Amino acid sequence: MNENLLYLAKIGEINLKKGNLKNFERRLAQNLSLYLENTGASVRVRAGRLFLEIPSEFRTLAEKSLDMLIGITGWAEAKVAEKNIDSIAAVLIKEAKEAVRLGCKTFKIEARRSDKSFPFTSYEIGRETGAQIHMAGILTVDVHNPDIVLSVEVREKSVFVYGVEHTGRRGLPCGVSGRGLLLLSGGIDSPVAGYRMLFRGMKLDFLYFHSHPYTSPEAQQKVETLAEKLAEYGLGAYLNIVSFTKVQQQIKKTAPEAYLTLMMRMCMMKTAERIAKKVNAQCLITGESLAQVASQTVENLSVTNSCIDFPVFRPLIGMDKEEITALAIKIGTYETSILPYEDCCVLFSPKHPVLHTRLEDAFEIYNRMGIEPFLDEAFESCETKKIIGYGKKK
Ligand code: ATP
Ligand code: MG
């Protein structure tokens, strides 16, 4: 079983970015190659298509990688036909028989011809080959609502034929839209926020604040698992882990009860900004959604924005919990996020948090806490773990 498999993937939105097209295509091919390191895979891009050739023993890994890859709208296993109508029909008939095995009854042919010297037009290719399949009684033609579309692409050097098409993830290839630092907690929201930015082509690093012994090692393990999951889409990442115990204790000691959470959020943003600059990230990303909890009112979000001079992206701002949860399930982070280990201790959560803080009040309380030395210590405590997220690990 040493023969090679061939896959063809369709490139989506990146087709629109004319100026950057080459760069985007190169990145997409690189990303797929990373998933398939040491398999002997060959990946190339030709005229809006990504082609993958790989030894058949790696079928499972190849298909999982195409499912994970951000930046393609669809993919299919393709067969090569010789450049004449009989060979195309013969390969199509094999595909049609395969479709019958999968339960299909009706079909249509979709042909594309980029080599205009081929003596049949796209329409004629469809008519000739479709008639053969129909006449052989394998499948019945239904141009409006077919069970399967059999595709033919006649190109300069080869002809490709494929049947079952899998939906791709869409989005932009990871690495074409800069670098962000995701504030990653063990909750449902922040992993989804991270995915949304990966989906726009951003490369991510992660930052987690722990409060040992108030938060458990299991809570941190949960974050590490989430980081690994996201790093699979993001083709690797670094997880920065910062100790926030003393910061939280100082806040508890010096700030009014109702402001505890807001002060902690300000301290997190301050520290995150410093870490972001250290790791060359261009923005912070959080899983906040408007009015979901007290610290996420427009006034309180303005406070956490104003305490730093750095872009903060909140991709979930207009989504509700149901939509966020549905996406968490889809990207595979939900099951980990709902494990029962809290990422924040009730000891530090006020019963009646302030909802509509005035900027001046927040800054006055913040400045009275004498928190700077504790933030310096937190920054110094940062430990970094490399997360591979692809390739041999699987
Ligand atoms: P999540 O579901 O992401 O935990 P949440 O709804 O629980 O969010 P908050 O606890 O207010 O909301 O946190 C808001 C955002 O702040 C989170 O989405 C995350 O980006 C960040 N954050 C909160 N706690 C931590 C933490 N311990 N470490 C890193 N980031 C955190
Ligand atoms: Mg949370």
Side-chain angles (χ1 to χ4, degrees), residues 7-9 24-39 41-45 49-54 61-70 72 75 173-174 232-233 235 390-391 394:
Y7 292 92
L8 174 155
F24 281 27
E25 288 181 344
R26 204 177 310 121
R27 184 64 73 146
L28 190 61
Q30 259 173 21
N31 289 353
L32 183 56
S33 304
L34 273 177
Y35 282 132
L36 300 169
E37 258 180 357
N38 305 323
T39 60
S42 126
V43 178
R44 64 204 156 82
V45 181
R49 295 278 187 264
L50 186 69
F51 291 94
L52 163 65
E53 212 178 320
I54 187 166
L61 179 63
E63 297 187 359
K64 181 176 181 207
S65 302
L66 288 162
D67 273 335
M68 293 292 292
L69 186 70
I70 296 176
I72 56 177
W75 62 270
C174 182
E232 278 188 48
Y233 297 108
L235 295 138
Y390 58 83
K394 290 188 194 99

Side-chain angles (χ1 to χ4, degrees), residues 285-299:
I285 301 147
T286 75
E288 289 159 315
S289 136
L290 187 63
Q292 195 190 77
V293 289
S295 61
Q296 297 170 19
T297 61
V298 64
E299 292 86 354

Side-chain angles (χ1 to χ4, degrees), residues 104-116:
C104 299
K105 294 196 166 53
T106 58
F107 80 109
K108 81 168 174 179
I109 304 276
E110 257 178 32
R112 280 167 41 125
R113 181 186 64 146
S114 55
D115 176 6
K116 300 293 178 205

